[in-house]
Amino acid sequence: EAALDVAPDLARAHFLLGTALKTLGQYDEALAHLQAAHEQYPRDRVVLGQIGRIQFLDRRFDEAIVTFQEVLLVDPEDLNAHYNLMLSLQGSGRPEDAARERALYERFKADESAQAITGDFRRASPEDNNERQPIHEHGAVEDDAAP
């Protein structure tokens, strides 16, 4: 709230306050702040996801369905959007559509058993483990041909 006093249009402050208010169950006020952030960043899938989650928690399933479909237009593999869309479709009485979303959710969900299977190899090979990280660094390469 103090940040919004200084900069009333600061999208990040609206997002964070909206997320905090969601946790407190103050859905209408949370939605107002998240909508303010959404107006500045209409393709931000995280903001849209929070809006959809509030709609779901408030049992506004049809609105949540539309919102999660918007998230999937931005990122068709968004795991949280598929999961929450599945729940919203189920809540809306559309079990066949919910089953389709469940299949997509399971397709994009990380295979936790694969982590255990590859664990020994990754521990024995730090370079290969580094390469599999989504964000990683490469060390400097020494030139053997230099004098």
Side-chain angles (χ1 to χ4, degrees):
E1 290 172 338
L4 290 173
D5 288 340
V6 174
D9 293 329
L10 187 61
R12 182 178 295 176
H14 280 290
F15 173 77
L16 293 173
L17 183 54
T19 303
L21 291 167
K22 177 191 86 167
T23 303
L24 297 172
Q26 298 175 15
Y27 298 148
D28 290 336
E29 194 175 347
L31 277 173
H33 286 286
L34 290 168
Q35 288 291 8
H38 175 61
E39 287 171 12
Q40 292 182 50
Y41 297 96
R43 291 186 46 83
D44 187 310
R45 65 183 179 81
V46 177
V47 172
L48 279 169
Q50 289 295 319
I51 291 170
R53 186 66 183 163
I54 290 172
Q55 292 165 332
F56 169 78
L57 293 171
D58 206 22
R59 304 182 64 81
R60 295 158 43 183
F61 300 124
D62 292 334
E63 291 177 44
I65 290 167
V66 171
T67 302
F68 290 123
Q69 288 171 337
E70 285 182 52
V71 173
L72 293 172
L73 289 174
V74 175
D75 181 1
E77 296 181 9
D78 187 296
L79 187 65
N80 287 323
H82 283 293
Y83 178 77
N84 285 297
L85 180 54
M86 173 189 69
L87 295 178
S88 299
L89 288 164
Q90 193 69 38
S92 186
R94 297 166 53 185
E96 298 84 16
D97 293 332
R100 184 191 74 242
E101 283 306 314
R102 179 181 180 151
L104 289 168
Y105 168 74
E106 290 175 352
R107 175 180 176 216
F108 296 123
K109 184 178 175 198
D111 183 1
E112 295 173 12
S113 64
Q115 300 300 319
I117 293 170
T118 62
D120 290 339
F121 173 80
R122 288 184 288 114
R123 280 187 291 280
S125 180
E127 297 83 15
D128 290 328
N129 186 51
N130 185 54
E131 285 298 315
R132 70 178 288 280
Q133 305 303 319
I135 299 173
H136 59 271
E137 294 181 5
H138 293 271
V141 177
E142 294 186 27
D143 186 2
D144 291 337

